[in-house]
Amino acid sequence: PCQARLVVLLALSSAAFSSPLAKSSFLMLLYFLSVLVFLISTKIMQVYVLKVRWKPELLLEIPPYHVPSLRVIWWYTRVNTMHFLRKAGAIIFPMVIAFWFLLHIGPSGYTTDYSNSIGAIMGRYISLITSPIGLSDWRASLALLSGFLAKEGVLGTINTITGLEDPVAAIRSILGPAEIVSLSVVMNFYLPCVATAAVLLKELRSARYLLIIIAYELLVAYLLAFVSYYVFSLFLH
């Protein structure tokens, strides 16, 4: 997982388990599961999508090593940073504003009660889909939606909705241990953030391929979370 996703997983593992050994073991399990899914997905792509029946030879010419130039490093960093801000920032900023309105506007107008907001209504509809994986609380469903904006937004959304500053306490106030495990698995595999999606769209140059990737990640995340929820429900109460 990316660095932002790792922060969320650390908070979720701390909320699900009290033992340091259990926390670290759970995170390692998520990492190994990620590698396994990657290898299986690669094999599926090779055999059924790209239809590669043999391993192609790969010849790489290694260029001579040079001491990096600070001027080149600065130029490369500045150009890529500005490019990221222009492309990804143009998507993130409007979505932040939209998400604020979702939590503060309800059917009857402005509201400070998040449970009566449009965001809560959306969360309840999403929970109809996520209930089989243990995420029946609209607050958890809405947090997943905010994770598409930025993965660390999951913790911020839960903190905001529950009114608790401690992310671990906030998570425990709405989810049980098995539900937290399910949320962790979903977080590990589901949608990329909008910044990543924007970069993928630019590189792939096809909205169709981007939607296929998103659909595949959602399917994998849902199936793994479904299995994880019912397996861990036998051991965590």
Side-chain angles (χ1 to χ4, degrees):
C2 64
Q3 186 175 4
R5 203 182 301 235
L6 180 59
V7 172
V8 180
L9 293 177
L10 284 170
L12 290 172
S13 63
S14 298
F17 305 97
S18 56
S19 167
L21 178 60
K23 296 175 187 177
S24 57
S25 299
F26 179 63
L27 286 175
M28 289 301 299
L29 178 62
L30 289 176
Y31 267 92
F32 282 125
L33 191 59
S34 299
V35 174
L36 181 62
V37 170
F38 170 77
L39 294 175
I40 294 175
S41 301
T42 302
K43 193 64 178 179
I44 292 174
M45 285 287 294
Q46 287 180 343
V47 176
Y48 297 103
V49 180
L50 301 178
K51 298 182 179 180
V52 177
R53 302 299 180 183
W54 66 90
K55 293 183 179 179
E57 295 182 358
L58 179 62
L59 299 177
L60 292 177
E61 181 180 353
I62 301 177
Y65 289 100
H66 298 281
V67 177
S69 168
L70 292 178
R71 179 173 174 270
V72 173
I73 293 174
W74 164 250
W75 176 84
Y76 187 81
T77 303
R78 181 178 62 85
V79 169
N80 282 277
T81 301
M82 294 304 298
H83 176 75
F84 175 83
L85 291 176
R86 283 195 299 267
K87 294 293 183 180
I91 299 176
I92 293 176
F93 183 68
M95 288 195 69
V96 169
I97 297 176
F99 204 80
W100 185 90
F101 276 101
L102 288 178
L103 287 177
H104 290 85
I105 302 297
S108 57
Y110 180 81
T111 179
T112 56
D113 184 2
Y114 298 140
S115 62
N116 293 325
S117 65
I118 296 176
I121 297 173
M122 293 176 60
R124 292 187 181 99
Y125 277 110
I126 297 174
S127 66
L128 297 176
I129 302 174
T130 57
S131 291
I133 59 175
L135 304 179
S136 57
D137 193 300
W138 68 267
R139 293 170 291 186
S141 302
L142 188 63
L144 282 176
L145 183 62
S146 69
F148 180 56
L149 176 64
K151 290 297 173 278
E152 57 270 29
V154 171
L155 297 180
T157 300
I158 294 177
N159 286 359
T160 300
I161 294 175
T162 59
L164 300 173
E165 294 184 2
D166 182 11
V168 174
I171 294 168
R172 287 175 175 171
S173 69
I174 63 174
L175 297 173
E179 289 81 6
I180 297 173
V181 169
S182 176
L183 180 59
S184 301
V185 174
V186 173
M187 276 295 307
N188 200 38
F189 293 101
Y190 89 130
L191 298 171
C193 62
V194 288
T196 305
V199 173
L200 282 174
L201 181 60
K202 176 181 178 296
E203 295 296 329
L204 295 172
R205 299 180 181 179
S206 171
R208 175 172 170 266
Y209 287 131
L210 176 61
L211 292 176
I212 291 174
I213 292 173
I214 290 175
Y216 178 74
E217 290 184 342
L218 284 174
L219 178 62
V220 170
Y222 195 90
L223 292 177
L224 291 177
F226 182 84
V227 174
S228 301
Y229 172 64
Y230 287 100
V231 169
F232 276 86
S233 294
L234 301 175
F235 305 99
L236 300 177
H237 302 285

